[in-house]
């Protein structure tokens, strides 16, 4: 296999992986967030905002 063919093969494989990862991300993002996790995320964001204001 030539260097160019090898490079093209890796590029094609990379595109396939990207497509699968995008599909998985969309699936994950469509799932509901449990209430406790959402509450913790809001608490964390509030703490980060307060910390940023102090700097």
């Amino acid at each position: 296999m030539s260097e160019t063919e090898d490079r093209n093969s890796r590029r094609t494989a990379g595109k396939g992986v990207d497509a699968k990862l995008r599909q998985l991300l969309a699936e994950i993002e469509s799932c509901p967030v449990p209430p406790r996790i959402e509450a913790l995320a809001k608490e964390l964001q509030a703490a980060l905002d307060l910390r940023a204001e102090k700097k």
Side-chain angles (χ1 to χ4, degrees):
M1 183 181 286
S2 73
E3 187 177 324
T4 303
E5 289 173 330
D6 187 41
R7 192 177 314 127
N8 288 340
S9 176
R10 280 186 272 139
R11 187 176 299 137
T12 301
K15 288 180 182 179
V17 170
D18 275 353
K20 185 64 176 175
L21 287 175
R22 288 179 208 278
Q23 179 184 355
L24 289 171
L25 182 59
E27 190 177 316
I28 290 168
E29 288 176 335
S30 71
C31 294
V33 177
R36 180 64 182 140
I37 300 296
E38 190 170 357
L40 288 171
K42 288 179 182 177
E43 288 178 34
L44 176 59
Q45 187 61 56
L48 290 172
D49 291 345
L50 183 60
R51 184 177 177 187
E53 289 174 7
K54 289 183 178 181
K55 288 187 176 182

